[in-house]
Amino acid sequence: MIGVVILILLSMCLQGTKGEDENFISFGCWGGEKKSRDRQREIGKLMGKVAKENGVRYAVAAGDNFYRKGVQTTMEDRWRETFLDVYPEEVKFHVALGNHDYRGDIWAQVNYTKINPARWNLPYPYHTVVENGVKLVFIDTVLLERCVVNKDKPKLYKARCWDNMLQWAWMQEELLKDFTGWKVVVGHYPLHANGPHENKKWLVDMLCPLFTVANVSLYINADNHYMQYSLYEGVYYLNSGGGAGYMPHTPHDKGYRVSLHSLWHFFADGIFLHRTTPTYMIISAHTPAGMVHNITIPNRNNKGAVFNLQTIKQRVQNSSLPPPLSLFPLSPPPLQTGPVSFYYYYYLIVFLLLLAVLFYTLLKRITGSTKRRR
């Protein structure tokens, strides 16, 4: 009863501070595999309902945007079938990449930002968005994995770690900048989640100390296909993988494990609604059947960042990870277009062949017509 009263009071405070509040939705693993599209459409309807009731302008998409093999171009039907026709057009997507997205051409998703900026925002595989006191730092955990796993294999490292670990330097700079609002990090891979997908130790050791020191309040991930959160060293870790893009996960899945830091989990498709004020955030879990849970978390960064820069530098220097090109670069790495996809050449050759056949047919008709006249 006391908890209900507290929640009502917090909700009243949220309503009474409009202009300083920021409401958004998070979810992931939403990429519309054929057998899951009915479930995905249910989540799309749910998003529209929650967005309308709470004044939501944007959603945070935590990766695996197109099952199972990403997309190859910006013109594929998948953009319409599992994105444009499914989710409310008034909700803009700020996007992170997942492992299934890397099975296609990630630069197609980057370039779609230029084609439809009102609906889609992925200007680079890692990027920052600031919305009304909320700083969202989108990281590419799949790229980090490619760099770290291949650090002792020079040829693979050069081929797969295409940014030479610049993301690691950029991430530190972004998170340690002076910012008095919310610091929220978004990535695909989990750090303290339950589920069949492991919390990779190297990633936990790499990111969690930085999050704690930089006063990050929340890390949003996907990868595991349900809803769950953990608390570790003051930072909340939210597994928002209920996007219904692929088969759901259950405790009976092979390799399923429970994090020692887990506080709550719910095995269903769904989304999280985030309602923020300068000092706290109410996170509520919604499924097509209704709201199932909520929690209030504090803003660890409300009084500005307090961090020990020397500690961070020392930890990086002692790390076995490949050193970044610059520990704190002055600017993010330049925009890249990436390698041209195989499908580009395939479609180009097909087009040229069709053009040649058309030219040959026309030439034959003209020649035949000339002979008949003679």
Side-chain angles (χ1 to χ4, degrees), residues 30 61 63-67 69-76 79 95-116 120-125:
W30 56 278
D64 280 357
N65 310 315
F66 295 95
Y67 283 109
K69 296 182 180 181
V71 290
Q72 294 291 345
T73 73
T74 58
M75 305 302 291
E76 292 181 34
W79 290 100
V95 184
L97 292 168
N99 52 299
H100 283 269
D101 300 310
Y102 262 84
R103 296 179 184 180
D105 186 349
I106 62 168
W107 301 102
Q109 295 194 41
V110 170
N111 292 333
Y112 191 73
T113 303
K114 301 174 185 177
I115 294 174
N116 197 350
W120 185 268
N121 182 46
L122 178 61
Y124 199 68

Side-chain angles (χ1 to χ4, degrees), residues 321-342:
L321 299 170
L325 300 182
S326 170
L327 187 60
F328 295 100
L330 296 177
S331 61
L335 183 64
Q336 299 180 8
T337 57
V340 178
S341 168
F342 160 79

Side-chain angles (χ1 to χ4, degrees), residues 198-207:
E198 67 173 321
N199 302 310
K200 304 174 191 296
K201 186 178 185 303
W202 64 265
L203 190 62
V204 172
D205 293 343
M206 184 181 188
L207 297 183

Side-chain angles (χ1 to χ4, degrees), residues 162-333:
W162 51 263
D163 77 333
N164 195 25
M165 282 295 287
L166 256 178
Q167 178 181 192
W168 178 226
W170 169 87
M171 190 190 314
Q172 294 170 75
E173 181 187 36
E174 282 299 302
L175 292 177
L176 295 174
K177 281 179 181 176
D178 186 20
F179 183 78
T180 56
W182 287 87
K183 289 183 179 181
V184 178
V185 180
V186 183
H188 185 66
Y189 285 152
L191 296 176
H192 292 290
N194 304 341
H197 293 305
E198 67 173 321
N199 302 310
K200 304 174 191 296
K201 186 178 185 303
W202 64 265
L203 190 62
V204 172
D205 293 343
M206 184 181 188
L207 297 183
C208 291
L210 176 61
F211 292 173
T212 301
V213 172
N215 280 347
V216 171
S217 298
L218 178 66
Y219 174 70
I220 301 172
N221 68 270
D223 207 23
N224 293 298
H225 304 168
Y226 60 92
M227 298 182 288
Q228 179 265 343
Y229 65 83
S230 298
L231 176 62
Y232 177 73
E233 293 186 349
V235 182
Y236 282 85
Y237 293 84
L238 189 75
N239 188 96
S240 187
Y246 199 31
M247 60 181 182
H249 286 153
T250 75
H252 305 293
D253 291 338
K254 183 179 179 180
Y256 181 85
R257 62 187 65 81
V258 177
S259 169
L260 295 175
H261 309 288
S262 178
L263 299 179
W264 176 82
H265 63 259
F266 195 76
F267 293 95
D269 300 332
I271 60 178
F272 284 103
L273 169 67
H274 304 252
R275 293 176 290 164
T276 71
T277 72
T279 55
Y280 59 87
M281 177 188 298
I282 296 179
I283 305 174
S284 53
H286 296 256
T287 73
M291 188 181 78
V292 294
H293 185 76
N294 59 65
I295 183 176
T296 302
I297 70 172
N299 184 0
R300 300 181 68 239
N301 196 47
N302 184 242
K303 295 183 179 180
V306 179
F307 57 86
N308 186 334
L309 188 59
Q310 189 58 40
T311 300
I312 290 292
K313 287 184 177 181
Q314 191 63 45
R315 188 177 67 80
V316 174
Q317 290 167 0
N318 293 339
S319 172
S320 60
L321 299 170
L325 300 182
S326 170
L327 187 60
F328 295 100
L330 296 177
S331 61

Side-chain angles (χ1 to χ4, degrees), residues 19 37 40 42 46 87-88 93 116 127 131 142 145 160 169 177-178 193 257 270 278 302 334-336 359 368:
R37 291 188 185 177
Q40 186 196 17
E42 287 298 310
L46 173 64
Y87 301 102
F93 275 39
N116 197 350
H127 60 107
E131 293 273 11
V142 183
E145 180 179 43
R160 296 173 68 82
K177 281 179 181 176
D178 186 20
R257 62 187 65 81
N302 184 242
L335 183 64
Q336 299 180 8
F359 179 75

